Amino acid sequence: MEETNFTPQSPLSPQPGEQPGAGGAPGAPESPSPAPAFDCPEGGANFTPPPAAEGEVPPVPPVAPPLSPVKQAKKALRRCSNRNSLLLLLLVVGTNLVALGVLMAMKLLGVRMSTTAFDTVANLISYGSLYLVMAPLLLLIGNAGQPHKVRTYFTKPKASGKEIAKWTLIGVGLTYGVSYVFNFLFTIIQLLFGVELSAPSLVTDTGFANALISFFFMALAAPLMEELIFRGTLLCHTLPFGSWFAIVVVGVSFGLTHMNYQQLFYAIMMGIAAGFVAVKAQSIWPALGIHLSINLIGATQSILAGHIDLSVLTGGGSSRYVMTYLLSKLPYLLPILLLSLLCLAAAVSGFVLFVIEAVNHKDTFRLENPCTVLTPAQKAGVYLSAPGTILTLAVMLGMTVCNALGVL
């Protein structure tokens, strides 16, 4: 059996035989290509028997039966699943441990500050632990020994500016559309069952420091570091098992990592849209454009909303008082309203463009599938049954439920 190596291919450079911009129908099977080669089992081609003593009959070397292509693929996919999931678990657990460690150190050092100042510092520590400490560490660990590195993700897109702009609008629009649908559904669920689900506040506290922290981390650091991790490292790990499989798996992982019901489904949609354009353009730049657009709008609305006391609207005050208050906050309310209308317009136009693309350009959605020995159902079963993935899913889903119920 000839010894071969299983080498993941980067989504940022053309696959063998792939023409940039090749495409197919939504939900259509991925275009077949030769199945990847996998590592030989231990004791295979490189087995060397021990030297025989004088007068002894040399032992017959044990011959391990070669694994079938299906078993080889399952073994490699399970290894990929464990690697991806444990990296995400490290990101989640490590971020909390670093933030907790810094706060405990401040307490031991006797650092004293006002409640307002402490909230600002705690916010900075939380964001910094995630995007300045754990995210870079995850990239170093995830890319170690891999052919793909951070610098290889930023290749020139293999698509025209017009195509990138179109798919950016489609990605942003579908993300907002999914957000509207699930916000409506969760509202109905709460009304029908008489429950109140908790979600993290996305409103930034007033003050220049808080606004600066929110804008830097939410609008800039988060899109950059999250795209490098998800559409860079994790996507590259998973692409050898099929482009659509990798896009969906990494997109769902992206949504689960947020660990709150309010962001879960629209983050999954954004992750899938960003993964698709990254694979099609063979560059992380278009995916980064989608993420930056959404987070920039969100960060701006969050900062502006911090200047508005919503309790005035529900506090039972006179209509005249409420109207006077709203008029005084018009410099903040008007941009929020305009951005909300922009999001709605993006949702409608993005959906329309997506339908047109699906009807008139079905080949756009046909992507490479290097691993044809496994069906999509087999891939999903193997990926989800990996021990590291089971543990990570349990932690993330448990945290999502606890956050929704207000336990944490």
Side-chain angles (χ1 to χ4, degrees), residues 55-370:
E56 290 185 4
V57 178
V60 178
V63 179
L67 295 176
S68 67
V70 171
K71 290 184 177 180
Q72 292 182 58
K74 287 182 176 180
K75 180 180 178 181
L77 179 55
R78 189 171 289 109
R79 185 167 59 242
C80 169
S81 177
N82 280 321
R83 182 184 181 92
N84 286 354
S85 298
L86 292 177
L87 283 172
L88 293 179
L89 188 61
L90 173 64
L91 179 68
V92 173
V93 175
T95 297
N96 287 279
L97 290 178
V98 171
L100 182 62
V102 173
L103 292 173
M104 290 181 64
M106 291 174 57
K107 183 176 181 180
L108 291 175
L109 292 173
V111 177
R112 297 180 180 276
M113 61 185 71
S114 66
T115 302
T116 302
F118 177 81
D119 290 341
T120 301
V121 172
N123 199 28
L124 176 61
I125 291 172
S126 178
Y127 279 127
S129 300
L130 176 57
Y131 296 117
L132 301 182
V133 178
M134 291 308 303
L137 178 62
L138 205 73
L139 290 172
L140 289 174
I141 297 174
N143 291 340
Q146 301 295 322
H148 51 83
K149 306 294 180 184
V150 170
R151 66 178 181 275
T152 66
Y153 303 150
F154 291 99
T155 56
K156 183 179 179 180
K158 304 298 190 299
S160 66
K162 181 179 179 180
E163 283 294 305
I164 292 174
K166 177 180 68 177
W167 281 104
T168 298
L169 178 56
I170 290 175
V172 171
L174 291 179
T175 300
Y176 282 126
V178 168
S179 176
Y180 296 146
V181 169
F182 278 94
N183 282 341
F184 175 76
L185 289 178
F186 281 122
T187 301
I188 296 298
I189 290 173
Q190 293 179 79
L191 292 174
L192 288 178
F193 295 96
V195 297
E196 184 176 353
L197 299 177
S198 300
S201 174
L202 300 179
V203 177
T204 300
D205 293 335
T206 55
F208 177 77
N210 287 317
L212 183 62
I213 291 170
S214 291
F215 187 83
F216 174 76
F217 285 105
M218 290 175 62
L220 302 177
L224 176 61
M225 300 309 298
E226 289 173 5
E227 288 307 308
L228 287 174
I229 291 172
F230 287 92
R231 260 59 66 181
T233 299
L234 300 186
L235 189 64
C236 283
H237 287 173
T238 321
L239 273 175
F241 304 98
S243 297
W244 270 117
F245 176 76
I247 289 168
V248 173
V249 163
V250 174
V252 172
S253 300
F254 177 67
L256 289 171
T257 307
H258 287 74
M259 292 184 292
N260 71 80
Y261 84 92
Q262 194 175 47
Q263 294 178 293
L264 173 62
F265 293 100
Y266 88 76
I268 290 176
M269 183 67 253
M270 190 186 77
I272 292 174
F276 176 77
V277 297
V279 171
K280 291 296 292 184
Q282 299 171 20
S283 171
I284 203 174
W285 283 114
L288 189 58
I290 292 176
H291 206 152
L292 278 169
S293 300
I294 292 173
N295 278 34
L296 180 60
I297 293 174
T300 303
Q301 289 181 315
S302 173
I303 293 170
L304 292 172
H307 294 272
I308 301 170
D309 184 4
L310 297 179
S311 64
V312 172
L313 304 179
T314 59
S318 65
S319 57
R320 181 177 180 180
Y321 172 75
V322 172
M323 184 60 65
T324 302
Y325 178 80
L326 291 178
L327 288 174
S328 68
K329 297 297 180 179
L330 200 58
Y332 305 107
L333 283 171
L334 189 58
I336 292 175
L337 178 60
L338 292 176
L339 287 173
S340 298
L341 292 174
L342 178 64
C343 294
L344 181 60
V348 173
S349 56
F351 178 76
V352 171
L353 284 175
F354 175 76
V355 172
I356 293 173
E357 195 71 19
V359 172
N360 297 332
H361 306 285
K362 296 181 180 180
D363 287 346
T364 301
F365 300 93
R366 190 176 299 278
L367 302 176
E368 290 292 321
N369 179 24

Side-chain angles (χ1 to χ4, degrees), residues 42-59:
E42 293 184 7
N46 294 327
F47 177 81
T48 303
E54 185 176 354
E56 290 185 4
V57 178

